Amino acid sequence: MLWGGRFDKKLDKKAMSFSSSLNFDKILIFEDIEGSIAHAEMLRSVGLISQEETDKITEGLSRIKDEFKGGSWNPSEEEFEDIHSAVEYRLKELTGETAGKLHTGRSRNDQVATDMRLWIKKAATGLKGKNRELQKRLVETASENVNTLMPGYTHLQRAQPISFAFHLLAYVEMLERDVNRLDFVYYESDLLPLGSGALAGSTLPLARELIVSKLGFSGITANALDAISDRDFLLDFLNAVNLGMMHLSRLAEEIVLWSSAEWKFVLLSDEYTTGSSLMPQKKNPDMAELIRGKVGRVYGNYTTLATTLKALPLSYNRDLQEDKEPVFDSFNTYYTSIGIMESMIATMKINKDRFVEELKHDFILATDLADWLVLKGVPFRESHSIVGKVVSYCEKANKYFIDLSIDELKKIDERFDETALECFDINTSLERKKTFGSPNPEMVKEQIAGWKSKLF
Ligand code: ARG
């Protein structure tokens, strides 16, 4: 126990198991030990503990780390409130009274805030790496599909032709924003709270700035009260996960659609699909569905912590212990989801010719025809209406654009000439796009080259 002095009785067993965070904060042991070693070295630098004591403490802590890794020391929830007290207790077993000096000038409040910041910085870096892998996969697949035609949709109705590469590059952009958000989370977490004590600093001459470089922070927090109670960086993290998972869920949903018999656009590998226990013919895109489904829990995690923090008075309150499970769960969910998405895309087959014939028998190039009239000086609103008439004519005559002759077009509007028919060529439809950011294959190739030089 860390506070024996004024207590006559031990914490009730039920109260211990209710309040212990050990089962889920064990994961912080490496950050906890890293922080403790840095703290001990700082205490030595300012003369609060001797070199010999520092050596004993750091050796003891390193041993605890090895024991934990090897499984020979595994503290239990019945005994300890959290990983911080468990490590301190074990250190006392190993080094005797010296262990008691480690806590000089330190509270578990600044300790846990430091551990969480260290952990989040690693988490953000790890997730950034995973996002980069997925971006690379998307760019690779895009580079093989610059000319793979597909319908682009609005309202889930066919709108204008695009390429599969163009569609995938939209996700590369989204993931880039996710990476930026993770950078922001890293930046926000990069200040050291250690040395804030329980809430109001210390009367001891602690040299906070000496710990900064040891732990790889970029600076120290400026107000002890804020540093102890601040969990904004965790909400930023959870929000970064929210948006990242939301992006994955949109791609997952599209994969579910594309792999259906109605679309027949992609074929998922057996390794990432499941069968039905009843219907022998089924091949289900469960991994994509689960990625889509798991967004609910990460949104829930954000709401959990945001609610915990609401109206919480400064500074530390035990409520703050509730920050951990949502954060760890969102991390695990996001990390594994990105990996599954990457593998699913790496192993899926694309039916490259799927839409080539089908889009000839469609009105998907209607806007191109309207644009053609605009270039002849027709106001767009009028050209829109003329093309509407062309579509209506086709529907009545049971025809598509490619079946039309120039005479039929001229009957609808005499300003049409032979070159208007070129608008109906689906194979050159992408090349005719002029604007930057469009699916013009040349522009898409340039973007792929740009991503390749950035990512690979
Ligand atoms: N397990 C606690 C938490 O995560 C550590 C801090 C405990 N501090 C305290 N004053 N009881 O919040």
Side-chain angles (χ1 to χ4, degrees):
M1 220 204 279
L2 304 177
W3 55 81
R6 64 159 294 181
F7 285 80
D8 297 328
K9 287 187 185 169
K10 270 177 74 176
L11 187 64
D12 174 77
K13 264 182 149 187
K14 289 195 297 298
M16 176 60 108
S17 93
F18 176 71
S19 60
S20 176
S21 53
L22 187 69
N23 280 352
F24 51 85
D25 69 14
K26 266 183 199 168
I27 192 176
L28 292 173
I29 188 167
F30 303 110
E31 288 72 25
D32 199 67
I33 287 178
E34 202 187 337
S36 287
I37 291 176
H39 184 67
E41 285 168 355
M42 180 277 290
L43 292 175
R44 186 198 51 77
S45 304
V46 299
L48 286 167
I49 61 173
S50 69
Q51 182 65 55
E52 201 193 332
E53 287 165 333
T54 312
D55 293 345
K56 263 179 126 176
I57 288 171
T58 50
E59 276 158 28
L61 288 169
S62 303
R63 185 167 152 193
I64 295 171
K65 187 161 89 179
D66 293 341
E67 286 178 352
F68 182 83
K69 274 194 196 159
S72 63
W73 178 70
N74 193 7
S76 97
E77 187 177 49
E78 278 118 57
E79 275 180 283
F80 299 106
E81 222 184 275
D82 53 28
I83 190 63
H84 326 289
S85 43
V87 169
E88 198 178 330
Y89 183 87
R90 181 73 188 131
L91 189 65
K92 191 164 180 208
E93 284 181 339
L94 294 175
T95 65
E97 288 311 316
T98 310
K101 295 209 165 179
L102 173 60
H103 226 54
T104 307
R106 188 174 68 163
S107 155
R108 271 183 304 159
N109 299 353
D110 56 350
Q111 187 177 355
V112 74
T114 303
D115 291 2
M116 286 304 275
R117 282 171 178 266
L118 284 171
W119 192 89
I120 285 288
K121 285 172 63 182
K122 285 184 202 160
T125 307
L127 286 170
K128 187 173 160 177
K130 287 304 263 189
N131 267 309
R132 289 284 184 232
E133 282 171 31
L134 179 54
Q135 279 183 310
K136 281 191 199 172
R137 172 62 55 202
L138 293 168
V139 169
E140 280 289 348
T141 310
S143 65
E144 292 152 16
N145 288 281
V146 174
N147 295 306
T148 303
L149 201 63
M150 70 182 284
Y153 297 83
T154 63
H155 311 264
L156 206 57
Q157 307 291 322
R158 285 183 185 175
Q160 293 187 17
I162 59 172
S163 66
F164 190 46
F166 180 67
H167 199 119
L168 294 178
L169 290 184
Y171 282 96
V172 179
E173 296 285 341
M174 288 147 86
L175 264 62
E176 190 64 15
R177 296 195 292 274
D178 296 334
V179 164
N180 292 342
R181 260 183 293 276
L182 289 165
D183 280 342
F184 173 73
V185 169
Y186 187 99
Y187 171 82
E188 282 295 311
S189 311
D190 205 18
L191 294 178
L192 174 80
L194 204 60
S196 298
L199 77 163
S202 176
T203 56
L204 299 168
L206 307 177
R208 298 184 62 201
E209 58 293 344
L210 289 185
I211 310 179
V212 167
S213 56
K214 282 194 175 76
L215 292 181
F217 283 100
S218 69
I220 53 179
T221 54
N223 178 300
L225 205 58
D226 175 48
I228 292 312
S229 58
D230 173 25
R231 297 293 183 274
D232 295 359
F233 65 104
L234 296 181
L235 273 184
D236 284 330
F237 174 76
L238 290 173
N239 189 49
V241 177
N242 283 349
L243 272 78
M245 279 299 291
M246 178 271 285
H247 288 156
L248 294 186
S249 82
R250 295 181 77 167
L251 183 52
E253 167 69 1
E254 302 206 287
I255 289 173
V256 170
L257 295 173
W258 295 337
S259 63
S260 70
E262 283 68 24
W263 249 270
K264 288 196 195 70
F265 188 38
V266 303
L267 184 68
L268 294 176
S269 156
D270 287 357
E271 292 168 290
Y272 293 96
T273 44
T274 61
S276 157
S277 54
L278 191 139
M279 298 162 283
Q281 86 285 9
K282 288 296 289 291
K283 189 168 177 186
N284 298 325
D286 290 31
M287 303 309 131
E289 293 165 64
L290 281 166
I291 291 172
R292 192 177 59 184
K294 283 174 189 291
V295 178
R297 68 194 280 166
V298 306
Y299 284 0
N301 288 335
Y302 182 93
T303 308
T304 298
L305 184 59
T307 310
T308 299
L309 294 176
K310 180 189 172 293
L312 201 65
L314 302 186
S315 61
Y316 183 83
N317 298 274
R318 192 67 182 273
D319 315 42
L320 289 175
Q321 180 170 290
E322 290 293 311
D323 63 356
K324 295 184 186 57
E325 284 166 294
V327 165
F328 299 149
D329 182 69
S330 277
F331 171 80
N332 290 335
T333 305
Y334 189 27
Y335 193 88
T336 47
S337 296
I338 308 173
I340 291 283
M341 180 61 87
E342 195 273 322
S343 308
M344 199 161 47
I345 291 172
T347 53
M348 75 186 188
K349 293 209 165 56
I350 294 117
N351 186 356
K352 293 190 181 193
D353 300 327
R354 164 67 179 87
F355 292 107
V356 180
E357 279 307 307
E358 197 169 306
L359 291 186
K360 288 181 185 164
H361 305 104
D362 201 285
F363 297 109
I364 201 159
L365 290 169
T367 316
D368 297 39
L369 190 62
D371 287 349
W372 186 95
L373 285 165
V374 165
L375 291 175
K376 296 284 166 196
V378 182
F380 183 75
R381 281 290 161 245
E382 194 190 337
S383 75
H384 185 284
S385 154
I386 295 166
V387 177
K389 283 182 198 140
V390 178
V391 173
S392 164
Y393 169 82
C394 285
E395 275 173 349
K396 284 181 197 126
N398 206 11
K399 286 184 173 190
Y400 288 101
F401 285 161
I402 49 161
D403 307 318
L404 294 178
S405 67
I406 186 60
D407 293 340
E408 284 169 298
L409 275 184
K410 271 182 179 299
K411 258 184 228 159
I412 295 167
D413 194 291
E414 60 187 14
R415 284 167 288 188
F416 281 123
D417 66 39
E418 291 285 341
T419 62
L421 298 176
E422 288 165 17
C423 293
F424 301 147
D425 185 358
I426 193 77
N427 295 316
T428 57
S429 62
L430 300 182
E431 287 156 33
R432 290 197 304 271
K433 294 281 177 168
K434 304 269 187 309
T435 49
F436 178 78
S438 73
N440 183 312
E442 287 315 307
M443 295 184 192
V444 168
K445 275 185 213 157
E446 267 176 44
Q447 298 218 349
I448 288 173
W451 281 118
K452 282 195 169 165
S453 69
K454 182 178 169 120
L455 299 171
F456 288 77

